[in-house]
Amino acid sequence: MGLALLGCVGALRELRCLLGLYFGMLLLLFATQITLGILISTQRIRLERRVQDLVLETIRNYRSNPEETAAEESWDYAQFQLRCCGWHSPQDWFQVLILRGNESEAHRVPCSCYNSSAANDSATFDKVFFSQLSRLGPRARPRHSADLCVVPANDHIYHEGCAQSLRKWLHNNLISIVGICLGIGLLEVSVMVLSLQLQCKALRRKPEQQVPGADGSNPTPGLSADGSGGRCGVLSSSSGRSSTPWGSRGMAGACPNWGGKAPQSKLPMALGP
């Protein structure tokens, strides 16, 4: 919004400094996007390994700190939307201490792993749905172990890991993602070209310096347009105004003695000392 406001004000006022700043920031943003795209395509395996480590660490530390549950809730939301459970499989949740029950009980997983479309249990579906809906608003208090929403692992849960679901999602939406990125890139390039055109237009509209004598007036005092110059000892101009006599400036001897008659030929535009 700040970048758009900068370009809007620069375009309306045709301010070269704002247009130049807008062009520079947009060029930097475009170069950053290109660099990120190249890094993601060339370092894909390393990036995938880094994401895997973060997800597995989040699963291992699930609800271990009731005061900091942002990462856990984000992963629950990702499982709920991608319809998956764990990173590789639901077995990733079996080692979480807070989800373990008695030895006689089956393993438990979070409610975000529950496959509501494969079951007709409305009570469990309401519990899963409202637990995910409550994450959209601010939490009134930390969620302790008593607030956990868990389901048995042998119940209707998703058996596919989120790594495979994420790959499928990227493969199915690859054309849309590339199209959106290309559209944004072309839009940025076109706006940069328009900002350059506005800068050139602002340069052409810069007021030219007024050329002396361009309005028809005689720029040289003491000489009229026809070179007559008026009487000796008085500076005159074509506007009819007279200024200080030459004698008061110590230049009384600079006027030649023409016997009260002005010369017939044109006078030079400047007189020497």
Side-chain angles (χ1 to χ4, degrees):
M1 291 178 62
L3 185 61
L5 180 63
L6 189 68
C8 182
V9 174
L12 290 176
R13 298 293 182 178
E14 293 187 356
L15 299 176
R16 292 171 53 198
C17 59
L18 291 184
L19 289 174
L21 185 61
Y22 176 74
F23 175 81
M25 294 179 65
L26 202 59
L27 181 62
L28 180 62
L29 180 63
F30 181 73
T32 303
Q33 293 171 350
I34 295 296
T35 304
L36 286 177
I38 294 175
L39 288 177
I40 290 175
S41 60
T42 56
Q43 304 291 330
R44 183 178 56 186
I45 299 178
R46 185 176 180 182
L47 180 63
E48 183 179 352
R49 188 181 300 112
R50 177 60 178 169
V51 173
Q52 173 182 331
D53 295 340
L54 289 175
V55 171
L56 292 179
E57 183 181 0
T58 301
I59 293 176
R60 285 193 300 266
N61 299 327
Y62 189 77
R63 305 300 184 186
S64 60
N65 187 1
E67 300 295 333
E68 297 179 1
T69 59
E72 290 87 348
E73 291 185 358
S74 299
W75 181 243
D76 278 335
Y77 185 75
Q79 290 186 142
F80 183 75
Q81 292 295 327
L82 293 175
R83 300 177 182 273
C84 57
C85 187
W87 180 251
H88 299 291
S89 66
Q91 295 181 0
D92 295 334
W93 291 103
F94 294 171
Q95 303 300 323
V96 180
L97 296 177
I98 200 171
L99 298 181
R100 287 182 181 178
N102 299 327
E103 295 182 357
S104 59
E105 295 180 354
H107 294 286
R108 297 184 299 178
V109 294
C111 287
S112 56
C113 292
Y114 184 73
N115 187 2
S116 58
S117 60
N120 295 323
D121 189 0
S122 60
T124 306
F125 174 75
D126 291 340
K127 183 171 63 173
V128 173
F129 177 76
F130 286 110
S131 66
Q132 296 299 321
L133 187 64
S134 63
R135 304 181 194 279
L136 301 177
R139 297 191 304 273
R141 56 187 174 86
R143 295 177 182 268
H144 299 281
S145 58
D147 301 321
L148 285 176
C149 178
V150 294
V151 293
N154 55 6
D155 204 350
H156 299 281
I157 63 173
Y158 299 111
H159 296 282
E160 186 178 43
C162 291
Q164 186 65 24
S165 298
L166 187 59
R167 293 191 191 98
K168 288 182 179 180
W169 183 87
L170 290 175
H171 179 74
N172 295 332
N173 298 276
L174 182 61
I175 298 178
S176 301
I177 295 174
V178 172
I180 292 174
C181 293
L182 289 178
I184 294 176
L186 291 176
L187 180 63
E188 290 174 347
V189 171
S190 61
V191 172
M192 284 191 290
V193 172
L194 289 177
S195 65
L196 285 179
Q197 291 181 351
L198 284 175
Q199 280 187 324
C200 296
K201 186 178 180 181
L203 281 174
R204 288 195 298 267
R205 286 190 176 184
K206 185 178 180 181
E208 298 179 356
Q209 296 181 354
Q210 187 177 2
V211 181
D215 56 351
S217 61
N218 186 19
T220 306
L223 297 175
S224 61
D226 57 354
S228 60
R231 292 185 178 272
C232 179
V234 180
L235 292 173
S236 62
S237 63
S238 62
S239 60
R241 294 181 296 177
S242 62
S243 59
T244 308
W246 288 3
S248 62
R249 294 177 180 263
M251 299 180 62
C255 181
N257 187 9
W258 291 329
K261 295 182 180 180
Q264 300 298 325
S265 60
K266 300 292 184 179
L267 290 178
M269 295 303 295
L271 294 176

